[in-house]
Amino acid sequence: MIRGLDTAVKRLRKQVFTEVARVAFESTNLNDDIEAIPYKITPGDEPQYRESIWRERAISSERVRLAMGMSLRPEDAPVHLTAGLDESNISEKYYEPPLMQVIPSACDACTANEYKVTNNCRGCVAHPCVEVCPKGAISIVNGRSCIDQDKCIKCGKCKAACPYDAIAHEIRPCAEACGVNAIESDDLGRAYINPDRCVSCGMCMVNCPFGAIADKSQIFQLIRALKEGGEIVAEVAPAIVGQFGPHGSPKRVKAALMELGFSEVYEVALGADMGAATEARHYVEEVVNGDLPFLLTSCCPSWSMLAKVYFPEMIDKISNALTPMVATARTIKQKHPNARVVFIGPCASKKLEASRRSVRSDVDFVITFEELDAIFEAKGIDMSSYDKEVELHDATGAGRGYAVAGGVAEAIEKCVNAYYPGVDVNIEHAEGLAECRKILMMAKAGKMDGCLIEGMGCPGGCVAGAGTVLPINKASQAIKKSVKDSTKAIPPKELAEIHLD
């Protein structure tokens, strides 16, 4: 609902990342400079958004900790803002689980799930809300409808029946955005993320109007590594197109990254090309031949985690193709064995993927476009006036199309049609975790046999990821143009034979 708008929450997040980045680049007294950040974000004596300047600074302090990769402080113990800073002050990946956290002092304890009669109620004669309520929870008080919350079962029939739209359904925005029902309540009614259910897509974070949910960042540690020197290579996700404004072309972003200290930049669409060629072969050899009833794509970590956690019997149906991030990282490390690899993309859950034991040696850091935008700000790099360019061309239109929902399946379909003439491809795709769960339930029931099923944790695909900057519709248009303008439509069939183990 609020995606793509330049809200105060979005500006506050950027300010926190920018100040942390500045400290990482410039600080000579780390503890004092970290302590000063909440006062830079909330200067003066008057609060900007909350009832108290002290609450604002308390919230900013927790955001700073998360931006440093550290966990939130307990509410019932005296823990200093910079507690744990020595462990965070390193030039390598630093991660304290969990990835996504609710800042208790920032949460407004929104109503979790309740139907309420508003002032739009006209006290009509028909009272359809009363008639349809299966539990007799609605009565007429002083000529108006009144809902007994102890009897209400949250079925929504009253709301659907009201001709004046006088009944509102109040629900936490974060919970409504969560497709796996991972948002619960603590003892004070504030949101709490159940780590056993969460798949780290970040949709709760981007849909909270209070900015009460945040993920942990690695920008501080990455900047430390850049300052130390050495070979550091960036791999940029396909969704980067358009993220840094109409003048921020991938060529200019590459030039800016090299100005920051990166030695080289690759397109993650290269790994996507490998994945498309590989999954085309898997589909033909395993689904068409009848060894598997269907094939699930593997590129979205939240989708894969959803399948593994909620549908464990489907683990062997997930393609064993490397994700584009990992395939590209391994390609880079074959060419640059001593380099550290930084994935730059739209996705929060890639941070979790890169922390898995099997991937840790491949991807050294993960940052989002949102975080990179703040790093550019800290270094005074303004894409609207930046004019340096360095060529960036590692992939085909198929791999670049992975950034939008349906793009993965479309790329694989094109590869099947080109590599295996005469083979029919049955394509299905789902976007958003709620839809992903539905399609997996249908697959479990045998209704998706013969299909190649693409799942994207974010509605709209990677361009709608939690770490994006550009509005989704504009980002989708930019990706489609990038695919159309690519010199090659699909990768060669032989790309599936490259071994990156």
Side-chain angles (χ1 to χ4, degrees):
M1 184 172 64
I2 59 176
R3 298 299 308 280
L5 298 178
D6 185 21
T7 65
V9 168
K10 185 176 178 179
R11 292 191 293 272
L12 281 168
R13 281 180 59 84
K14 182 174 180 178
Q15 194 174 2
V16 169
F17 289 136
T18 301
E19 293 300 334
V20 168
R22 282 200 181 105
V23 167
F25 279 121
E26 303 168 5
S27 177
T28 57
N29 191 329
L30 186 58
N31 277 52
D32 288 352
D33 290 339
I34 292 296
E35 292 277 2
I37 292 177
Y39 292 85
K40 290 184 177 180
I41 293 171
T42 307
D45 300 319
E46 295 293 328
Q48 300 176 55
Y49 309 108
R50 305 282 184 165
E51 76 286 352
S52 161
I53 196 168
W54 313 114
R55 186 182 180 192
E56 284 195 6
R57 287 178 181 155
I59 294 168
S60 294
S61 296
E62 299 308 317
R63 288 185 175 132
V64 169
R65 285 185 62 85
L66 294 174
M68 295 285 294
M70 299 186 291
S71 291
L72 300 174
R73 294 174 292 178
E75 293 185 281
D76 58 353
V79 177
H80 206 269
L81 168 58
T82 54
L85 185 59
D86 289 343
E87 290 84 357
S88 173
N89 185 23
I90 58 176
S91 57
E92 58 189 56
K93 185 185 301 174
Y94 179 74
Y95 172 61
E96 287 184 1
L99 176 65
M100 312 295 305
Q101 289 197 270
V102 179
I103 302 172
S105 55
C107 181
D108 200 54
C110 303
T111 301
N113 182 15
E114 195 171 285
Y115 286 87
K116 291 184 177 179
V117 179
T118 71
N119 289 333
N120 285 347
C121 179
R122 302 290 296 268
C124 64
V125 175
H127 300 313
C129 54
V130 175
E131 303 301 330
V132 299
C133 180
K135 295 297 181 180
I138 303 180
S139 57
I140 306 302
V141 179
N142 295 327
R144 290 195 168 195
S145 298
C146 181
I147 300 175
D148 184 338
Q149 298 298 335
D150 292 332
K151 293 181 180 179
C152 179
I153 60 172
K154 327 296 183 191
C155 66
K157 290 183 179 180
C158 57
K159 176 176 175 61
C162 178
Y164 297 107
D165 195 24
I167 299 177
H169 183 202
E170 292 191 8
I171 187 170
R172 279 200 176 106
C174 57
E176 189 172 27
C178 179
V180 292
N181 301 319
I183 307 293
E184 301 175 0
S185 296
D186 67 10
D187 294 340
L188 297 177
R190 299 171 302 192
Y192 165 76
I193 300 174
N194 184 335
D196 295 328
R197 300 185 66 86
C198 178
V199 295
S200 300
C201 68
M203 288 299 99
C204 57
M205 176 174 70
V206 297
N207 282 283
C208 174
F210 288 90
I213 304 177
D215 59 341
K216 294 185 175 72
S217 176
Q218 298 168 12
I219 58 173
F220 183 84
Q221 294 79 24
L222 169 59
I223 293 169
R224 279 285 314 270
L226 288 169
K227 287 179 66 178
E228 286 183 3
E231 191 175 15
I232 302 178
V233 178
E235 51 168 344
V236 294
I240 197 169
V241 179
Q243 289 293 322
F244 297 93
H247 301 289
S249 68
K251 293 179 182 180
R252 291 186 179 182
V253 173
K254 179 175 179 177
L257 287 169
M258 297 182 78
E259 190 172 315
L260 288 176
F262 290 92
S263 55
E264 188 51 86
V265 180
Y266 287 80
E267 287 187 81
V268 172
L270 167 64
D273 278 340
M274 295 177 183
T278 302
E279 291 187 343
R281 185 185 67 187
H282 288 176
Y283 178 78
V284 172
E285 292 180 354
E286 298 174 25
V287 178
V288 174
N289 291 347
D291 292 338
L292 286 177
F294 51 84
L295 184 68
L296 307 178
T297 57
S298 62
C299 56
C300 174
S302 290
W303 154 256
S304 297
M305 198 184 309
L306 170 70
K308 291 173 182 176
V309 172
Y310 293 89
F311 301 87
E313 69 278 6
M314 293 189 185
I315 290 177
D316 64 334
K317 315 300 190 303
I318 302 171
S319 170
N320 60 13
L322 297 173
T323 66
M325 176 182 78
V326 175
T328 307
R330 291 187 181 178
T331 302
I332 291 169
K333 293 213 170 183
Q334 284 183 351
K335 297 179 180 179
H336 308 270
N338 298 318
R340 287 196 271 186
V341 174
V342 182
F343 174 82
I344 302 172
C347 182
S349 63
K350 285 293 183 185
K351 297 177 181 180
L352 202 59
E353 180 188 352
S355 296
R356 292 174 188 158
R357 190 175 304 160
S358 60
V359 182
R360 285 187 68 90
S361 61
D362 301 313
V363 181
D364 297 272
F365 297 99
V366 172
I367 64 168
T368 65
F369 300 142
E370 179 187 32
E371 291 163 346
L372 178 59
D373 187 40
I375 293 174
F376 284 159
E377 176 88 9
K379 290 298 288 182
I381 296 174
D382 183 357
M383 278 295 155
S384 65
S385 58
Y386 194 79
D387 59 1
K388 298 177 184 177
E389 292 186 349
V390 179
E391 192 66 32
L392 181 63
H393 190 79
D394 305 304
T396 73
R400 290 168 183 156
Y402 264 50
V404 294
V408 177
E410 183 180 350
I412 298 168
E413 182 178 21
K414 287 178 180 178
C415 289
V416 171
N417 292 337
Y419 305 160
Y420 311 97
V423 174
D424 292 329
V425 190
N426 297 314
I427 297 292
E428 294 288 344
H429 89 269
E431 50 186 287
L433 292 177
E435 291 301 316
C436 286
R437 289 186 73 177
K438 288 179 184 177
I439 205 167
L440 289 174
M441 290 175 68
M442 292 174 67
K444 183 178 179 180
K447 297 180 180 180
M448 292 285 136
D449 287 358
C451 290
L452 169 72
I453 306 174
E454 171 203 315
M456 289 284 192
C458 300
C462 300
V463 292
T468 54
V469 180
L470 192 66
I472 299 168
N473 60 338
K474 291 184 179 180
S476 297
Q477 292 169 6
I479 294 299
K480 290 174 182 176
K481 185 177 186 305
S482 172
V483 171
K484 183 180 178 181
D485 292 345
S486 297
T487 54
K488 292 183 179 180
I490 62 171
K493 183 178 180 180
E494 294 73 30
L495 210 57
E497 307 301 327
I498 295 178
H499 295 287
L500 297 171
D501 296 333

